[in-house]
Amino acid sequence: MERSRRDGSRFAVGLIDLDGFKPVNDVHGHATGDRVLIEAGRRLRQVSGPAVCLARLGGDEFGLIIDGNPPDADIRRRGQEFCDVLQAPYVLPDLTAQVSCRRSPVRISVIRAAPFRFGKPSTKNLDLRTGSGGSAV
């Protein structure tokens, strides 16, 4: 954010909420749910790249920051990649689970911090929603 204030560049902040995770956790237990979350995190890191800071926020939600003044097309492409990589079945030794980001939107907002100290950042919400096929729109 400081760099954005200094040079007027922008960054993106996003939220990924997994669909179908609660039944895995409730039916198969927290240990199995944890294994699915670990795999989801691994998959997200695999497609993130060096400009993306990714973190699990809690439950089945992941937050991300895309740095480096990303163009809208790059943000949309990354949103689609995140959805695509999460959709593949999670094959565990005792279970094959299916979670995705099909129903919940992947929300990514582009922010350009104000060049003055106490200003509000300007945001542009790209709100990449996923349809039944899990594609970003």
Short mmCIF file of all heavy atoms in Angstrom, two decimals, residues 16-89:
data_model
loop_
_atom_site.label_atom_id
_atom_site.label_comp_id
_atom_site.label_asym_id
_atom_site.label_seq_id
_atom_site.Cartn_x
_atom_site.Cartn_y
_atom_site.Cartn_z
N ILE A 16 -11.32 -15.82 -1.56
CA ILE A 16 -11.78 -17.07 -2.16
C ILE A 16 -12.45 -17.87 -1.05
O ILE A 16 -11.86 -18.13 -0.01
CB ILE A 16 -10.59 -17.89 -2.73
CG1 ILE A 16 -9.89 -17.09 -3.82
CG2 ILE A 16 -11.08 -19.24 -3.25
CD1 ILE A 16 -8.58 -17.71 -4.29
N ASP A 17 -13.70 -18.24 -1.28
CA ASP A 17 -14.48 -19.02 -0.32
C ASP A 17 -14.81 -20.36 -0.97
O ASP A 17 -15.42 -20.40 -2.04
CB ASP A 17 -15.75 -18.25 0.03
CG ASP A 17 -16.56 -18.90 1.13
OD1 ASP A 17 -16.12 -19.90 1.71
OD2 ASP A 17 -17.66 -18.40 1.42
N LEU A 18 -14.38 -21.46 -0.36
CA LEU A 18 -14.60 -22.79 -0.94
C LEU A 18 -16.04 -23.25 -0.74
O LEU A 18 -16.59 -23.14 0.35
CB LEU A 18 -13.67 -23.80 -0.29
CG LEU A 18 -12.18 -23.56 -0.43
CD1 LEU A 18 -11.41 -24.66 0.29
CD2 LEU A 18 -11.78 -23.49 -1.88
N ASP A 19 -16.64 -23.78 -1.77
CA ASP A 19 -17.96 -24.40 -1.70
C ASP A 19 -17.81 -25.89 -1.45
O ASP A 19 -16.91 -26.52 -1.99
CB ASP A 19 -18.72 -24.22 -3.02
CG ASP A 19 -19.06 -22.78 -3.29
OD1 ASP A 19 -19.33 -22.04 -2.33
OD2 ASP A 19 -19.07 -22.40 -4.47
N GLY A 20 -18.69 -26.45 -0.64
CA GLY A 20 -18.70 -27.89 -0.41
C GLY A 20 -17.73 -28.35 0.66
O GLY A 20 -17.58 -29.56 0.88
N PHE A 21 -17.08 -27.43 1.35
CA PHE A 21 -16.12 -27.83 2.37
C PHE A 21 -16.81 -28.27 3.67
O PHE A 21 -16.40 -29.23 4.30
CB PHE A 21 -15.13 -26.70 2.67
CG PHE A 21 -14.20 -27.04 3.80
CD1 PHE A 21 -13.18 -27.96 3.62
CD2 PHE A 21 -14.38 -26.48 5.06
CE1 PHE A 21 -12.34 -28.30 4.66
CE2 PHE A 21 -13.54 -26.83 6.10
CZ PHE A 21 -12.52 -27.73 5.90
N LYS A 22 -17.85 -27.58 4.08
CA LYS A 22 -18.51 -27.88 5.36
C LYS A 22 -18.96 -29.34 5.46
O LYS A 22 -18.70 -29.98 6.49
CB LYS A 22 -19.68 -26.93 5.58
CG LYS A 22 -20.32 -27.09 6.96
CD LYS A 22 -21.35 -26.02 7.18
CE LYS A 22 -22.10 -26.11 8.48
NZ LYS A 22 -21.82 -27.13 9.41
N PRO A 23 -19.59 -29.92 4.44
CA PRO A 23 -19.96 -31.34 4.55
C PRO A 23 -18.75 -32.27 4.73
O PRO A 23 -18.84 -33.26 5.44
CB PRO A 23 -20.67 -31.64 3.23
CG PRO A 23 -21.14 -30.33 2.73
CD PRO A 23 -20.14 -29.33 3.23
N VAL A 24 -17.63 -31.96 4.08
CA VAL A 24 -16.43 -32.77 4.26
C VAL A 24 -16.01 -32.74 5.72
O VAL A 24 -15.74 -33.77 6.35
CB VAL A 24 -15.27 -32.27 3.35
CG1 VAL A 24 -13.98 -32.99 3.68
CG2 VAL A 24 -15.63 -32.45 1.89
N ASN A 25 -15.96 -31.56 6.28
CA ASN A 25 -15.56 -31.38 7.67
C ASN A 25 -16.55 -32.04 8.63
O ASN A 25 -16.16 -32.72 9.57
CB ASN A 25 -15.48 -29.88 7.97
CG ASN A 25 -14.30 -29.51 8.83
OD1 ASN A 25 -13.33 -30.22 8.88
ND2 ASN A 25 -14.41 -28.38 9.48
N ASP A 26 -17.85 -31.84 8.39
CA ASP A 26 -18.89 -32.36 9.29
C ASP A 26 -19.00 -33.88 9.25
O ASP A 26 -19.13 -34.54 10.27
CB ASP A 26 -20.25 -31.75 8.96
CG ASP A 26 -20.34 -30.28 9.32
OD1 ASP A 26 -19.43 -29.77 10.01
OD2 ASP A 26 -21.31 -29.63 8.89
N VAL A 27 -18.94 -34.46 8.05
CA VAL A 27 -19.15 -35.90 7.89
C VAL A 27 -17.87 -36.70 8.16
O VAL A 27 -17.91 -37.74 8.79
CB VAL A 27 -19.69 -36.22 6.47
CG1 VAL A 27 -19.74 -37.71 6.22
CG2 VAL A 27 -21.06 -35.59 6.28
N HIS A 28 -16.74 -36.19 7.70
CA HIS A 28 -15.50 -36.96 7.77
C HIS A 28 -14.53 -36.49 8.85
O HIS A 28 -13.48 -37.10 9.02
CB HIS A 28 -14.81 -36.96 6.40
CG HIS A 28 -15.68 -37.54 5.33
ND1 HIS A 28 -15.89 -38.89 5.19
CD2 HIS A 28 -16.41 -36.94 4.36
CE1 HIS A 28 -16.71 -39.11 4.19
NE2 HIS A 28 -17.05 -37.94 3.66
N GLY A 29 -14.86 -35.42 9.54
CA GLY A 29 -14.04 -34.96 10.65
C GLY A 29 -13.05 -33.86 10.28
O GLY A 29 -12.73 -33.64 9.11
N HIS A 30 -12.59 -33.19 11.32
CA HIS A 30 -11.69 -32.05 11.13
C HIS A 30 -10.33 -32.45 10.57
O HIS A 30 -9.73 -31.68 9.81
CB HIS A 30 -11.53 -31.28 12.44
CG HIS A 30 -12.78 -30.58 12.86
ND1 HIS A 30 -13.20 -29.42 12.27
CD2 HIS A 30 -13.71 -30.89 13.80
CE1 HIS A 30 -14.34 -29.04 12.83
NE2 HIS A 30 -14.66 -29.92 13.75
N ALA A 31 -9.85 -33.62 10.90
CA ALA A 31 -8.55 -34.05 10.37
C ALA A 31 -8.62 -34.18 8.84
O ALA A 31 -7.71 -33.75 8.13
CB ALA A 31 -8.11 -35.36 11.00
N THR A 32 -9.71 -34.75 8.35
CA THR A 32 -9.89 -34.87 6.90
C THR A 32 -10.09 -33.49 6.29
O THR A 32 -9.51 -33.18 5.23
CB THR A 32 -11.09 -35.78 6.57
OG1 THR A 32 -10.83 -37.08 7.12
CG2 THR A 32 -11.32 -35.89 5.08
N GLY A 33 -10.88 -32.66 6.93
CA GLY A 33 -11.07 -31.29 6.46
C GLY A 33 -9.76 -30.53 6.39
O GLY A 33 -9.50 -29.79 5.43
N ASP A 34 -8.91 -30.73 7.38
CA ASP A 34 -7.60 -30.07 7.37
C ASP A 34 -6.76 -30.53 6.18
O ASP A 34 -6.07 -29.73 5.55
CB ASP A 34 -6.84 -30.35 8.67
CG ASP A 34 -7.42 -29.60 9.86
OD1 ASP A 34 -8.26 -28.70 9.65
OD2 ASP A 34 -7.02 -29.93 10.99
N ARG A 35 -6.83 -31.82 5.85
CA ARG A 35 -6.07 -32.32 4.70
C ARG A 35 -6.56 -31.70 3.39
O ARG A 35 -5.78 -31.37 2.51
CB ARG A 35 -6.13 -33.84 4.64
CG ARG A 35 -5.37 -34.48 5.80
CD ARG A 35 -5.14 -35.96 5.65
NE ARG A 35 -6.17 -36.69 4.97
CZ ARG A 35 -6.77 -37.80 5.44
NH1 ARG A 35 -6.42 -38.29 6.61
NH2 ARG A 35 -7.67 -38.42 4.73
N VAL A 36 -7.89 -31.52 3.29
CA VAL A 36 -8.45 -30.87 2.10
C VAL A 36 -8.00 -29.41 2.02
O VAL A 36 -7.62 -28.92 0.96
CB VAL A 36 -9.99 -30.99 2.08
CG1 VAL A 36 -10.60 -30.11 0.99
CG2 VAL A 36 -10.43 -32.44 1.88
N LEU A 37 -8.02 -28.71 3.15
CA LEU A 37 -7.57 -27.31 3.17
C LEU A 37 -6.08 -27.18 2.82
O LEU A 37 -5.69 -26.26 2.10
CB LEU A 37 -7.83 -26.68 4.53
CG LEU A 37 -9.29 -26.40 4.86
CD1 LEU A 37 -9.43 -25.96 6.31
CD2 LEU A 37 -9.87 -25.37 3.91
N ILE A 38 -5.28 -28.11 3.32
CA ILE A 38 -3.85 -28.09 2.99
C ILE A 38 -3.67 -28.28 1.48
O ILE A 38 -2.87 -27.57 0.85
CB ILE A 38 -3.09 -29.17 3.79
CG1 ILE A 38 -3.03 -28.75 5.27
CG2 ILE A 38 -1.70 -29.40 3.21
CD1 ILE A 38 -2.59 -29.86 6.21
N GLU A 39 -4.41 -29.19 0.89
CA GLU A 39 -4.32 -29.42 -0.54
C GLU A 39 -4.83 -28.21 -1.33
O GLU A 39 -4.25 -27.82 -2.34
CB GLU A 39 -5.09 -30.68 -0.95
CG GLU A 39 -5.14 -30.95 -2.43
CD GLU A 39 -3.79 -31.15 -3.10
OE1 GLU A 39 -2.77 -31.37 -2.41
OE2 GLU A 39 -3.74 -31.09 -4.34
N ALA A 40 -5.93 -27.60 -0.86
CA ALA A 40 -6.44 -26.39 -1.53
C ALA A 40 -5.39 -25.29 -1.50
O ALA A 40 -5.14 -24.62 -2.51
CB ALA A 40 -7.74 -25.92 -0.88
N GLY A 41 -4.75 -25.09 -0.36
CA GLY A 41 -3.69 -24.10 -0.25
C GLY A 41 -2.52 -24.40 -1.17
O GLY A 41 -1.96 -23.50 -1.81
N ARG A 42 -2.14 -25.67 -1.25
CA ARG A 42 -1.05 -26.07 -2.13
C ARG A 42 -1.39 -25.76 -3.59
O ARG A 42 -0.58 -25.22 -4.34
CB ARG A 42 -0.75 -27.56 -1.98
CG ARG A 42 0.49 -28.02 -2.74
CD ARG A 42 0.58 -29.53 -2.85
NE ARG A 42 -0.48 -30.11 -3.68
CZ ARG A 42 -0.55 -30.02 -5.02
NH1 ARG A 42 0.36 -29.36 -5.68
NH2 ARG A 42 -1.54 -30.58 -5.68
N ARG A 43 -2.62 -26.06 -3.99
CA ARG A 43 -3.04 -25.80 -5.37
C ARG A 43 -3.05 -24.30 -5.66
O ARG A 43 -2.64 -23.88 -6.75
CB ARG A 43 -4.44 -26.37 -5.60
CG ARG A 43 -4.48 -27.88 -5.60
CD ARG A 43 -5.89 -28.36 -5.78
NE ARG A 43 -5.98 -29.80 -5.70
CZ ARG A 43 -7.07 -30.49 -5.98
NH1 ARG A 43 -8.17 -29.86 -6.37
NH2 ARG A 43 -7.08 -31.80 -5.87
N LEU A 44 -3.55 -23.51 -4.72
CA LEU A 44 -3.57 -22.07 -4.94
C LEU A 44 -2.16 -21.50 -5.06
O LEU A 44 -1.90 -20.66 -5.91
CB LEU A 44 -4.35 -21.38 -3.81
CG LEU A 44 -5.85 -21.63 -3.80
CD1 LEU A 44 -6.47 -21.11 -2.51
CD2 LEU A 44 -6.52 -20.99 -5.01
N ARG A 45 -1.24 -21.98 -4.20
CA ARG A 45 0.16 -21.53 -4.29
C ARG A 45 0.78 -21.91 -5.62
O ARG A 45 1.58 -21.17 -6.20
CB ARG A 45 0.98 -22.13 -3.16
CG ARG A 45 0.91 -21.36 -1.87
CD ARG A 45 1.99 -21.78 -0.89
NE ARG A 45 2.30 -23.19 -0.88
CZ ARG A 45 1.77 -24.10 -0.08
NH1 ARG A 45 0.86 -23.75 0.82
NH2 ARG A 45 2.13 -25.36 -0.15
N GLN A 46 0.40 -23.09 -6.13
CA GLN A 46 0.95 -23.60 -7.38
C GLN A 46 0.67 -22.64 -8.55
O GLN A 46 1.51 -22.50 -9.43
CB GLN A 46 0.32 -24.97 -7.66
CG GLN A 46 0.76 -25.65 -8.91
CD GLN A 46 0.03 -26.98 -9.09
OE1 GLN A 46 -0.72 -27.43 -8.24
NE2 GLN A 46 0.25 -27.60 -10.23
N VAL A 47 -0.46 -21.97 -8.55
CA VAL A 47 -0.80 -21.06 -9.65
C VAL A 47 -0.65 -19.59 -9.28
O VAL A 47 -0.91 -18.71 -10.10
CB VAL A 47 -2.24 -21.32 -10.19
CG1 VAL A 47 -2.34 -22.70 -10.78
CG2 VAL A 47 -3.28 -21.07 -9.14
N SER A 48 -0.22 -19.30 -8.06
CA SER A 48 -0.18 -17.91 -7.60
C SER A 48 0.91 -17.08 -8.24
O SER A 48 0.69 -15.96 -8.66
CB SER A 48 0.00 -17.86 -6.08
OG SER A 48 -1.17 -18.30 -5.45
N GLY A 49 2.12 -17.57 -8.28
CA GLY A 49 3.23 -16.79 -8.81
C GLY A 49 3.80 -15.86 -7.76
O GLY A 49 3.22 -15.68 -6.69
N PRO A 50 4.93 -15.22 -8.07
CA PRO A 50 5.65 -14.42 -7.09
C PRO A 50 4.95 -13.11 -6.70
O PRO A 50 5.23 -12.57 -5.64
CB PRO A 50 6.99 -14.14 -7.76
CG PRO A 50 6.73 -14.28 -9.22
CD PRO A 50 5.64 -15.31 -9.34
N ALA A 51 4.04 -12.61 -7.52
CA ALA A 51 3.39 -11.34 -7.21
C ALA A 51 2.17 -11.51 -6.30
O ALA A 51 1.54 -10.53 -5.93
CB ALA A 51 2.97 -10.64 -8.50
N VAL A 52 1.83 -12.75 -5.94
CA VAL A 52 0.63 -13.01 -5.14
C VAL A 52 1.02 -13.43 -3.73
O VAL A 52 1.81 -14.35 -3.54
CB VAL A 52 -0.24 -14.11 -5.79
CG1 VAL A 52 -1.45 -14.43 -4.93
CG2 VAL A 52 -0.68 -13.69 -7.18
N CYS A 53 0.45 -12.75 -2.76
CA CYS A 53 0.58 -13.14 -1.35
C CYS A 53 -0.74 -13.82 -0.98
O CYS A 53 -1.81 -13.23 -1.12
CB CYS A 53 0.81 -11.90 -0.49
SG CYS A 53 0.88 -12.28 1.28
N LEU A 54 -0.67 -15.06 -0.55
CA LEU A 54 -1.85 -15.87 -0.29
C LEU A 54 -1.85 -16.31 1.16
O LEU A 54 -0.81 -16.67 1.71
CB LEU A 54 -1.80 -17.10 -1.21
CG LEU A 54 -2.93 -18.10 -1.16
CD1 LEU A 54 -4.20 -17.48 -1.74
CD2 LEU A 54 -2.55 -19.34 -1.94
N ALA A 55 -3.03 -16.29 1.81
CA ALA A 55 -3.13 -16.71 3.21
C ALA A 55 -4.51 -17.30 3.48
O ALA A 55 -5.51 -16.87 2.90
CB ALA A 55 -2.89 -15.53 4.13
N ARG A 56 -4.55 -18.28 4.35
CA ARG A 56 -5.83 -18.79 4.81
C ARG A 56 -6.32 -17.85 5.90
O ARG A 56 -5.61 -17.55 6.86
CB ARG A 56 -5.67 -20.20 5.37
CG ARG A 56 -7.00 -20.75 5.88
CD ARG A 56 -6.90 -22.21 6.26
NE ARG A 56 -8.10 -22.60 6.99
CZ ARG A 56 -8.11 -23.28 8.11
NH1 ARG A 56 -6.96 -23.69 8.63
NH2 ARG A 56 -9.23 -23.58 8.69
N LEU A 57 -7.54 -17.36 5.74
CA LEU A 57 -8.10 -16.42 6.69
C LEU A 57 -8.77 -17.13 7.86
O LEU A 57 -8.81 -16.62 8.96
CB LEU A 57 -9.10 -15.49 6.00
CG LEU A 57 -8.52 -14.66 4.85
CD1 LEU A 57 -9.62 -13.85 4.19
CD2 LEU A 57 -7.40 -13.77 5.35
N GLY A 58 -9.32 -18.29 7.60
CA GLY A 58 -10.02 -19.07 8.61
C GLY A 58 -11.10 -19.88 7.93
O GLY A 58 -11.57 -19.53 6.85
N GLY A 59 -11.48 -20.97 8.57
CA GLY A 59 -12.49 -21.83 7.96
C GLY A 59 -12.06 -22.24 6.57
O GLY A 59 -10.96 -22.75 6.37
N ASP A 60 -12.91 -21.98 5.59
CA ASP A 60 -12.61 -22.35 4.21
C ASP A 60 -12.39 -21.11 3.34
O ASP A 60 -12.65 -21.13 2.15
CB ASP A 60 -13.73 -23.21 3.64
CG ASP A 60 -15.08 -22.50 3.61
OD1 ASP A 60 -15.19 -21.39 4.17
OD2 ASP A 60 -16.02 -23.05 3.01
N GLU A 61 -11.88 -20.04 3.94
CA GLU A 61 -11.64 -18.80 3.20
C GLU A 61 -10.15 -18.51 3.09
O GLU A 61 -9.40 -18.68 4.04
CB GLU A 61 -12.32 -17.63 3.89
CG GLU A 61 -13.83 -17.72 3.88
CD GLU A 61 -14.47 -16.57 4.62
OE1 GLU A 61 -13.83 -15.94 5.48
OE2 GLU A 61 -15.65 -16.31 4.33
N PHE A 62 -9.77 -18.08 1.89
CA PHE A 62 -8.40 -17.68 1.61
C PHE A 62 -8.40 -16.23 1.14
O PHE A 62 -9.29 -15.82 0.40
CB PHE A 62 -7.78 -18.57 0.51
CG PHE A 62 -7.56 -19.99 0.93
CD1 PHE A 62 -8.58 -20.91 0.85
CD2 PHE A 62 -6.32 -20.40 1.40
CE1 PHE A 62 -8.39 -22.24 1.23
CE2 PHE A 62 -6.11 -21.71 1.78
CZ PHE A 62 -7.15 -22.63 1.71
N GLY A 63 -7.41 -15.48 1.57
CA GLY A 63 -7.26 -14.10 1.12
C GLY A 63 -6.03 -14.00 0.25
O GLY A 63 -5.11 -14.81 0.35
N LEU A 64 -6.02 -13.01 -0.62
CA LEU A 64 -4.86 -12.83 -1.48
C LEU A 64 -4.65 -11.36 -1.79
O LEU A 64 -5.58 -10.56 -1.76
CB LEU A 64 -5.01 -13.63 -2.78
CG LEU A 64 -6.21 -13.31 -3.67
CD1 LEU A 64 -5.82 -12.35 -4.77
CD2 LEU A 64 -6.73 -14.60 -4.26
N ILE A 65 -3.41 -11.03 -2.05
CA ILE A 65 -3.02 -9.70 -2.52
C ILE A 65 -2.18 -9.92 -3.77
O ILE A 65 -1.24 -10.72 -3.76
CB ILE A 65 -2.20 -8.94 -1.47
CG1 ILE A 65 -3.04 -8.72 -0.21
CG2 ILE A 65 -1.72 -7.60 -2.04
CD1 ILE A 65 -2.25 -8.15 0.96
N ILE A 66 -2.53 -9.23 -4.85
CA ILE A 66 -1.76 -9.29 -6.08
C ILE A 66 -1.06 -7.95 -6.22
O ILE A 66 -1.70 -6.91 -6.36
CB ILE A 66 -2.64 -9.56 -7.31
CG1 ILE A 66 -3.45 -10.85 -7.12
CG2 ILE A 66 -1.78 -9.64 -8.57
CD1 ILE A 66 -4.49 -11.09 -8.20
N ASP A 67 0.25 -7.97 -6.17
CA ASP A 67 1.06 -6.76 -6.23
C ASP A 67 1.59 -6.56 -7.64
O ASP A 67 1.45 -7.43 -8.49
CB ASP A 67 2.22 -6.88 -5.24
CG ASP A 67 2.88 -5.56 -4.93
OD1 ASP A 67 2.31 -4.51 -5.27
OD2 ASP A 67 3.98 -5.58 -4.36
N GLY A 68 2.18 -5.44 -7.89
CA GLY A 68 2.86 -5.22 -9.15
C GLY A 68 2.02 -4.53 -10.21
O GLY A 68 2.25 -4.73 -11.40
N ASN A 69 1.03 -3.73 -9.79
CA ASN A 69 0.23 -2.95 -10.74
C ASN A 69 -0.44 -3.86 -11.78
O ASN A 69 -0.28 -3.66 -12.99
CB ASN A 69 1.11 -1.90 -11.42
CG ASN A 69 0.33 -0.69 -11.85
OD1 ASN A 69 -0.79 -0.46 -11.40
ND2 ASN A 69 0.91 0.09 -12.73
N PRO A 70 -1.19 -4.87 -11.35
CA PRO A 70 -1.75 -5.85 -12.30
C PRO A 70 -2.85 -5.27 -13.18
O PRO A 70 -3.74 -4.57 -12.69
CB PRO A 70 -2.34 -6.93 -11.38
CG PRO A 70 -2.69 -6.18 -10.12
CD PRO A 70 -1.65 -5.12 -9.98
N PRO A 71 -2.81 -5.55 -14.48
CA PRO A 71 -3.90 -5.12 -15.36
C PRO A 71 -5.15 -5.98 -15.09
O PRO A 71 -5.06 -7.10 -14.61
CB PRO A 71 -3.36 -5.36 -16.77
CG PRO A 71 -2.24 -6.32 -16.61
CD PRO A 71 -1.73 -6.19 -15.20
N ASP A 72 -6.32 -5.43 -15.42
CA ASP A 72 -7.58 -6.13 -15.19
C ASP A 72 -7.59 -7.51 -15.82
O ASP A 72 -8.08 -8.47 -15.23
CB ASP A 72 -8.76 -5.31 -15.72
CG ASP A 72 -9.02 -4.06 -14.91
OD1 ASP A 72 -8.35 -3.84 -13.88
OD2 ASP A 72 -9.91 -3.28 -15.32
N ALA A 73 -7.07 -7.64 -17.04
CA ALA A 73 -7.08 -8.94 -17.72
C ALA A 73 -6.27 -9.98 -16.94
O ALA A 73 -6.67 -11.14 -16.85
CB ALA A 73 -6.52 -8.79 -19.14
N ASP A 74 -5.16 -9.57 -16.35
CA ASP A 74 -4.35 -10.48 -15.55
C ASP A 74 -5.10 -10.92 -14.30
O ASP A 74 -5.05 -12.09 -13.91
CB ASP A 74 -3.02 -9.82 -15.18
CG ASP A 74 -2.09 -10.77 -14.45
OD1 ASP A 74 -1.97 -11.93 -14.89
OD2 ASP A 74 -1.51 -10.37 -13.43
N ILE A 75 -5.80 -10.00 -13.68
CA ILE A 75 -6.57 -10.32 -12.48
C ILE A 75 -7.68 -11.31 -12.82
O ILE A 75 -7.90 -12.29 -12.11
CB ILE A 75 -7.13 -9.05 -11.84
CG1 ILE A 75 -5.98 -8.20 -11.32
CG2 ILE A 75 -8.11 -9.39 -10.72
CD1 ILE A 75 -6.38 -6.80 -10.94
N ARG A 76 -8.37 -11.07 -13.92
CA ARG A 76 -9.43 -12.00 -14.34
C ARG A 76 -8.85 -13.39 -14.65
O ARG A 76 -9.42 -14.41 -14.29
CB ARG A 76 -10.16 -11.45 -15.56
CG ARG A 76 -11.00 -10.24 -15.27
CD ARG A 76 -11.74 -9.78 -16.51
NE ARG A 76 -12.21 -8.42 -16.39
CZ ARG A 76 -13.23 -8.04 -15.65
NH1 ARG A 76 -13.89 -8.92 -14.96
NH2 ARG A 76 -13.59 -6.78 -15.60
N ARG A 77 -7.70 -13.41 -15.33
CA ARG A 77 -7.07 -14.70 -15.66
C ARG A 77 -6.69 -15.44 -14.39
O ARG A 77 -6.94 -16.64 -14.26
CB ARG A 77 -5.82 -14.45 -16.52
CG ARG A 77 -5.07 -15.73 -16.89
CD ARG A 77 -3.75 -15.43 -17.58
NE ARG A 77 -2.87 -14.55 -16.86
CZ ARG A 77 -2.12 -14.92 -15.81
NH1 ARG A 77 -2.16 -16.16 -15.36
NH2 ARG A 77 -1.32 -14.05 -15.21
N ARG A 78 -6.11 -14.74 -13.43
CA ARG A 78 -5.74 -15.37 -12.17
C ARG A 78 -6.97 -15.89 -11.43
O ARG A 78 -6.95 -16.98 -10.88
CB ARG A 78 -4.97 -14.41 -11.28
CG ARG A 78 -3.56 -14.20 -11.74
CD ARG A 78 -2.85 -13.25 -10.77
NE ARG A 78 -1.53 -12.94 -11.23
CZ ARG A 78 -0.46 -13.65 -10.94
NH1 ARG A 78 -0.57 -14.73 -10.21
NH2 ARG A 78 0.72 -13.29 -11.39
N GLY A 79 -8.04 -15.10 -11.41
CA GLY A 79 -9.28 -15.56 -10.77
C GLY A 79 -9.79 -16.85 -11.38
O GLY A 79 -10.20 -17.77 -10.67
N GLN A 80 -9.73 -16.94 -12.70
CA GLN A 80 -10.15 -18.16 -13.39
C GLN A 80 -9.22 -19.32 -13.03
O GLN A 80 -9.68 -20.44 -12.79
CB GLN A 80 -10.16 -17.95 -14.90
CG GLN A 80 -10.66 -19.15 -15.67
CD GLN A 80 -12.09 -19.48 -15.33
OE1 GLN A 80 -12.97 -18.63 -15.50
NE2 GLN A 80 -12.34 -20.68 -14.86
N GLU A 81 -7.91 -19.06 -12.98
CA GLU A 81 -6.96 -20.12 -12.62
C GLU A 81 -7.23 -20.63 -11.20
O GLU A 81 -7.16 -21.83 -10.95
CB GLU A 81 -5.52 -19.60 -12.72
CG GLU A 81 -5.03 -19.43 -14.13
CD GLU A 81 -3.65 -18.81 -14.20
OE1 GLU A 81 -3.12 -18.34 -13.16
OE2 GLU A 81 -3.09 -18.79 -15.30
N PHE A 82 -7.51 -19.73 -10.28
CA PHE A 82 -7.81 -20.15 -8.90
C PHE A 82 -9.04 -21.06 -8.89
O PHE A 82 -9.03 -22.11 -8.25
CB PHE A 82 -8.06 -18.94 -7.99
CG PHE A 82 -6.85 -18.08 -7.77
CD1 PHE A 82 -6.95 -16.71 -7.72
CD2 PHE A 82 -5.59 -18.64 -7.61
CE1 PHE A 82 -5.85 -15.90 -7.51
CE2 PHE A 82 -4.47 -17.85 -7.39
CZ PHE A 82 -4.61 -16.48 -7.34
N CYS A 83 -10.09 -20.67 -9.61
CA CYS A 83 -11.30 -21.51 -9.66
C CYS A 83 -11.00 -22.87 -10.30
O CYS A 83 -11.43 -23.90 -9.79
CB CYS A 83 -12.39 -20.80 -10.45
SG CYS A 83 -13.10 -19.40 -9.61
N ASP A 84 -10.29 -22.86 -11.41
CA ASP A 84 -10.01 -24.10 -12.13
C ASP A 84 -9.22 -25.09 -11.27
O ASP A 84 -9.53 -26.28 -11.23
CB ASP A 84 -9.22 -23.82 -13.41
CG ASP A 84 -10.04 -23.11 -14.47
OD1 ASP A 84 -11.28 -23.05 -14.32
OD2 ASP A 84 -9.44 -22.59 -15.43
N VAL A 85 -8.20 -24.60 -10.58
CA VAL A 85 -7.33 -25.49 -9.82
C VAL A 85 -8.06 -26.06 -8.59
O VAL A 85 -7.76 -27.17 -8.14
CB VAL A 85 -6.01 -24.79 -9.44
CG1 VAL A 85 -6.18 -23.81 -8.31
CG2 VAL A 85 -4.93 -25.79 -9.13
N LEU A 86 -9.03 -25.34 -8.06
CA LEU A 86 -9.76 -25.83 -6.89
C LEU A 86 -10.80 -26.88 -7.24
O LEU A 86 -11.20 -27.67 -6.39
CB LEU A 86 -10.44 -24.65 -6.17
CG LEU A 86 -9.49 -23.69 -5.48
CD1 LEU A 86 -10.24 -22.45 -4.99
CD2 LEU A 86 -8.76 -24.37 -4.33
N GLN A 87 -11.26 -26.93 -8.48
CA GLN A 87 -12.34 -27.83 -8.87
C GLN A 87 -11.96 -29.29 -9.00
O GLN A 87 -12.81 -30.15 -8.89
CB GLN A 87 -12.94 -27.35 -10.20
CG GLN A 87 -13.83 -26.19 -10.02
CD GLN A 87 -14.46 -25.75 -11.32
OE1 GLN A 87 -14.91 -24.65 -11.38
NE2 GLN A 87 -14.52 -26.57 -12.34
N ALA A 88 -10.72 -29.59 -9.26
CA ALA A 88 -10.32 -31.00 -9.42
C ALA A 88 -10.60 -31.75 -8.12
O ALA A 88 -10.44 -31.20 -7.03
CB ALA A 88 -8.84 -31.09 -9.78
N PRO A 89 -11.01 -33.01 -8.19
CA PRO A 89 -11.29 -33.79 -6.98
C PRO A 89 -10.08 -33.86 -6.05
O PRO A 89 -8.94 -33.88 -6.50
CB PRO A 89 -11.65 -35.17 -7.51
CG PRO A 89 -12.08 -34.95 -8.91
CD PRO A 89 -11.27 -33.78 -9.41
#
